[in-house]
Amino acid sequence: MSEPDTAPRFLADAMLGRLARWLRVLGYDTFYDPAGDDKELVALSDAEHRVLLTRDRHLVHFLRPRHPLLITAEKPLVQLREVIGACRLSPPAELFTRCLLCNQPLRAATAEEAATLVPETARGLPGQVRRCPHCRHIYWYGSHTRRMRETLLRELPDWLR
């Protein structure tokens, strides 16, 4: 079981963008750059000790990354189950702690940011407003977040509570 300090870090290749997003929802550090070529991805995953997530058997066989995980499923949530099982991931303490766009850890938004950047119709919703310190994207617990949470609970009922 992985604790937050020892949780694996991931690098997803161009075929696994939706998987990368789900891993970020769960709070796992997941690098994703669809423009990177295979040799660059392997070098980066090796240098940063990241598990290289790929569906490309050729990449694994010929480029021999140090920590590959060959994903066999086509559907992102089934892929997510593969990663959880293979890496023995523990359920996160909370969801939505990383930016879904750039992978940075989110910080609590200031009262001023929440008041000016969250749509007026969403300002009274429960839950913390967060902001990415890198790309400045703002997150709040709206309908999209609720649907993602419900999807995870439905797809991973024995893993998430």
Side-chain angles (χ1 to χ4, degrees), residues 138-153:
I138 192 117
Y139 294 88
W140 65 91
Y141 191 66
S143 60
H144 183 68
T145 307
R146 281 191 302 279
R147 282 192 302 273
M148 291 175 83
R149 182 183 301 274
E150 289 166 5
T151 297
L152 285 170
L153 288 171

Side-chain angles (χ1 to χ4, degrees), residues 104-147:
Q104 292 298 308
L106 299 175
R107 65 163 175 78
T110 66
E112 181 181 334
E113 289 171 329
T116 58
L117 298 174
V118 174
E120 195 172 324
T121 56
R123 288 187 192 144
L125 294 174
Q128 187 177 41
V129 176
R130 296 179 184 196
R131 188 146 196 211
C132 178
H134 179 73
C135 74
R136 316 288 290 158
H137 193 79
I138 192 117
Y139 294 88
W140 65 91
Y141 191 66
S143 60
H144 183 68
T145 307
R146 281 191 302 279
R147 282 192 302 273

